[in-house]
Amino acid sequence: MKSPSSDPIVDRWEGTVRRQPDRPALFDATARVLRTFAEIEVEAARWEEQFAALQAGTVLAVQIGNHPAWPAVLIAGLRREIIILALETTITDGERAAIMKTCRCRGLLAADENGSANLRPLGDAASAPSWGNLPRPSLLKLTSGTTAAPRAIRFRSQQLLADCDQICDTMGIAENDLNFGVIPVSHSYGFSNLITPLLARGVAMVMSRDRLPRAVLDGLARTRATVFPGMPVFFQAFCAVEETPDLSSLRLCISAGAPLSGALAERFREKFGQSIHSFYGSSECGGICYDRTGESLSDGYVGSAMNGVQVEGVDSAAAASQVRVSSAAVADGYFPEQDASGLGRGVFVPDDLLERCGSGWRIAGRVSDLINVAGMKVNPAEVEAHLMALPGVRQAVVFGRRSALRNEEVAACVVTEENVGEAELLRSCRQRLSGCQVPRRIFVVSEIPVNERGKTSRRDLAARFGQLG
């Protein structure tokens, strides 16, 4: 094992290995042991040898999905002072090339057809970043922000470790737990709830790549996992499965990535006897709020501030406002641009609109989602709440479409039960909503598409349904 380093995550990791070298650290969804903690350390040493071709301070793109090599790759990168850029597997080759050019990557670690992770140095194809007076990051996270163009967020190990500790302490996740990892570990949610708790806290995890509801439920039962970090789309799919396995070992269900509806939380509780604990965070600052009891059935409720996090409304006079998040987990800034407006020095202001709900907070929408209908600002979340309260409506997403006369017009996609159609829904909206809030069209669909992170893009829906009559 290496001598103590100056990197706090590596220091914690080395303590973890000393405590429990032979304990299983990684499982597959059939409960087969993939790595012990000692075997991850040996694997990390092998990756260090391969990373010798990359200079300290250069960026390495990692696109391997939920691969068991992830913990070892991260440790090796931290020891070599290589900056890891986590990429999702769902992006296209063209998107990957553009991202790697923007972030000046000098190497790509990708999985081949057989699932093996292979390193491909890029030589002088891209000049290494010059960090100047900026603190050198350990990890770059991608985020789309309020535009379609992705950008990277700069994190040091101290901030990643702070987020890990805040999550584990707030949620009560301990060394004797077993995390079930089906959410992408390349995304902030998966990275902070799965990878860093394993390294810094010794929380073993299951690496699952099969996202089918039946497969996930069977994996939870076989592995006897105790903690499931999921998204609303998973919990909704679980409720539709008729015969479910024994999940008596599961003690904690976490939902993040999109607001959780009270109706879904209630259905899940009735079917499985488990509460869902809403978790709200952002790529720029990690965890923000958490519903510690899981008892609220208010739509979009996310609980109170996490341990070590301060949350205050930016506009105290408004019912719903952006919030100012203060935490040791807040990133240093963006890359490659150096504009840190709204981010840095321990403070971040997300784009979400939050409102007080009892002792906690509820997500009421996003600044960028407001629909401009002839100068009137319509919050799509308010229209969604009305639609979701109607009999026979299972899901609803409201978005804005371009309008030649009114700048934008309100539209919606809904999933309904049989015999509930557009005309009936529009009649109800005209009776209860103001004129500018009433959708011009409601598209009844079999399912509302989500991305790998479990999120629905209003922008994508507007593009898809914008030209339909």
Side-chain angles (χ1 to χ4, degrees), residues 101-113:
K101 181 179 180 181
T102 297
C103 294
R104 303 178 188 176
C105 296
R106 299 297 294 272
L108 170 65
L109 182 62
D112 61 22
E113 296 178 354

Side-chain angles (χ1 to χ4, degrees), residues 42-98:
V42 172
E43 185 181 13
R46 291 199 298 266
W47 282 116
E48 280 188 76
E49 293 178 1
Q50 293 198 47
F51 293 169
L54 300 173
Q55 294 181 347
T58 58
V59 180
L60 170 66
V62 176
Q63 189 185 31
I64 57 177
N66 280 21
H67 196 288
W70 246 112
V73 166
L74 179 61
I75 287 298
L78 294 174
R79 283 178 174 154
R80 284 286 185 182
E81 298 183 351
I82 292 168
I83 301 155
I84 301 295
L85 169 66
L87 298 181
E88 296 180 5
T89 57
T90 54
I91 63 175
T92 66
D93 291 345
E95 289 172 328
R96 183 179 70 183

Side-chain angles (χ1 to χ4, degrees), residues 129-142:
S130 174
W131 301 106
N133 296 326
L134 298 174
R136 178 189 292 174
S138 302
L139 182 82
L140 295 178
K141 295 182 186 179
L142 284 179

Side-chain angles (χ1 to χ4, degrees), residues 64-320:
I64 57 177
N66 280 21
H67 196 288
W70 246 112
V73 166
L74 179 61
I75 287 298
L78 294 174
R79 283 178 174 154
R80 284 286 185 182
E81 298 183 351
I82 292 168
I83 301 155
I84 301 295
L85 169 66
L87 298 181
E88 296 180 5
T89 57
T90 54
I91 63 175
T92 66
D93 291 345
E95 289 172 328
R96 183 179 70 183
I99 291 168
M100 292 178 62
K101 181 179 180 181
T102 297
C103 294
R104 303 178 188 176
C105 296
R106 299 297 294 272
L108 170 65
L109 182 62
D112 61 22
E113 296 178 354
N114 299 318
S116 299
N118 299 297
L119 176 64
R120 189 177 75 197
L122 300 181
D124 296 328
S127 59
S130 174
W131 301 106
N133 296 326
L134 298 174
R136 178 189 292 174
S138 302
L139 182 82
L140 295 178
K141 295 182 186 179
L142 284 179
T143 180
S144 59
T146 57
T147 68
R151 55 180 173 176
I153 312 164
R154 296 181 284 114
F155 281 92
R156 288 173 287 128
S157 289
Q158 291 88 340
Q159 295 152 337
L160 299 172
L161 187 58
D163 189 29
C164 166
D165 288 341
Q166 288 165 188
I167 287 171
C168 291
D169 291 342
T170 303
M171 299 181 183
I173 299 173
E175 196 172 271
N176 59 348
D177 277 312
L178 176 60
N179 260 321
F180 193 91
V182 67
I183 55 176
V185 298
S186 57
H187 179 233
S188 181
Y189 178 24
F191 186 90
S192 297
N193 272 70
L194 298 168
I195 297 297
T196 47
L198 184 147
L199 298 175
R201 295 265 186 145
V203 182
M205 67 171 288
V206 177
M207 276 284 194
S208 174
R209 301 187 186 188
D210 194 337
R211 296 165 63 93
L212 293 175
R214 166 60 66 182
V216 175
L217 286 171
D218 288 344
L220 285 165
R222 290 194 189 102
T223 60
R224 299 188 64 80
T226 60
V227 179
F228 178 66
M231 300 173 288
V233 65
F234 281 114
F235 297 110
Q236 179 177 336
F238 292 167
C239 289
V241 176
E242 293 185 0
E243 296 183 6
T244 57
D246 177 19
L247 300 181
S248 57
S249 295
L250 188 62
R251 69 167 191 83
L252 179 60
C253 293
I254 306 162
S255 180
L260 179 71
S261 75
L264 174 56
E266 188 172 23
R267 287 200 304 271
F268 186 84
R269 185 184 300 170
E270 291 174 354
K271 185 178 182 70
F272 293 95
Q274 289 267 5
S275 296
I276 302 176
H277 299 257
S278 287
F279 174 39
Y280 167 58
S282 173
S283 297
E284 284 87 347
C285 64
I288 300 173
C289 292
Y290 179 66
D291 178 8
R292 290 164 173 81
T293 67
E295 296 176 356
S296 175
L297 295 179
S298 175
D299 288 348
Y301 182 73
V302 292
S304 56
M306 299 183 66
N307 296 5
V309 179
Q310 292 183 329
V311 180
E312 59 179 344
V314 172
D315 184 355
S316 59

